[in-house]
Amino acid sequence: MRTLFQHTIYTDPYCRELVTTIVGSFPYTPKLRAVILEDTCVYPEGGGQPADRGTLFLGDRQYAIVDCQKRAGTILHLIEAGENEYDFPVGAEVRLSIDWERRFDHMQQHSGEHLISGICHERHGYDNVGFHISEDYMVIDFNGELSAEEIAEIERLANLAVWKNIQIEALYPTPEEAVSLDYRAKKEVGEELRLIQVPGYDLCACCGTQLKNTGEIGEIRIRRFERHRGGTRIYACCGERSLKMAQAESAIIDDLVGLLSTSKEQLSNRIAELIEEKYALERKLRQQKFAALRTAAEDCKQDYLLLETSDLNAAEQKEFAKELAVDFPRFVFLYQVNGERLNIVALRSPDSSLDYDLRDLLASLREEFTVKAGGQKNFIQGQLETGPDQLLEFFELDE
């Protein structure tokens, strides 16, 4: 049997088809069968890189390879074959064919990751502590915080390395040779060590498939970043993914330019103007709603106010309650109809001349209705399972 890194998938990652023989097979799940082969060009999931997809041809039969995994150094090809299909004789010849478009995409992302991680490690001393390739992005976690300016510089330098078209090499040092090498590794490596080297940029333990040179990576774009567990998580894409995203963004920008009757250069300013106009209209509308409700409140001669405010959103309701609380020493009680429930806000001014605890009001409400609410002496908020008429009746009786 070959060792792991003696398989064609590692010695020639550009191999798209391969003829080999069956070493063994066994049921993996009721719908999947694991097939072990003498050699393979199918990548088993590992190191943040997803498994290849492809087809296994056996005689006049063909099976979809839906996954590929490693188990104790053995590569398992998971094919769609039920547990009753046992006709996978040891020694039988099979042909493998991979989904090359998927593979090459993963190679572009993975080789691009080596540039980003190597540059980050060299310039900032941060380690790559997490990496995976998703359908849309590759995600890289670093154990240190990076600023927007630092990330932009890493992106610039990574693309500079792409333009240099540097050869990417796979090295297999002996344990004695490895001792003298300064390489990155996220975890302890076994006896069989494989290093990926981008001269001048990175030397890292890796089991993934890599491109022949950096020029094949294509454009590297760091899409966004966020703070994550005391470090930085970045979302990036390379090659065709980057091109497709750029084309999609360009189409969106062109649509916005047409819709807003402006130029690309003035697009940001035009959007900012529209946002400010929106805020101005919202402020004007809020003032009009408050004015109408104030008129209704002026007719109240009690020391508390009960008022329906269904035209207000939650933030406006609370703001309006604070505004009115100074005129009603006991409390302001606002409610909104929400189906078979009422959204309520009750508030009193802490400077009120009348001593009153809204928690007492909440306790009385609980005796009459199903209440999902809480609060403090001067503020309560939540829901009542009742209607407006029942609420009005409660306050009339409470008087």
Side-chain angles (χ1 to χ4, degrees), residues 224-244:
R224 60 187 175 91
F225 72 97
E226 62 192 18
R227 301 292 172 236
H228 180 71
R229 296 181 178 178
T232 305
R233 168 170 286 181
I234 71 169
Y235 299 81
C237 58
C238 306
E240 188 173 2
R241 289 193 189 193
S242 182
L243 174 62
K244 288 180 177 178

Side-chain angles (χ1 to χ4, degrees), residues 96-139:
L96 300 174
S97 177
I98 65 168
D99 179 343
W100 174 248
E101 184 176 346
R102 173 185 169 90
R103 158 74 72 75
F104 189 73
D105 168 64
H106 291 167
M107 292 167 72
Q108 286 186 311
Q109 310 315 309
H110 205 151
S111 295
E113 176 271 322
H114 278 272
L115 290 180
I116 293 172
S117 296
I119 292 168
C120 182
H121 184 75
E122 175 65 25
R123 292 181 67 85
H124 304 285
Y126 298 153
D127 293 321
N128 172 334
V129 293
F131 165 68
H132 74 271
I133 300 172
S134 68
E135 291 295 325
D136 299 316
Y137 302 99
M138 61 172 171
V139 181

Side-chain angles (χ1 to χ4, degrees), residues 59-77:
D60 59 357
R61 291 176 286 158
Q62 64 182 57
Y63 300 92
I65 302 171
V66 297
D67 198 1
C68 190
Q69 296 293 322
K70 286 179 290 189
R71 179 183 291 179
T74 299
I75 298 176
L76 307 180
H77 305 76

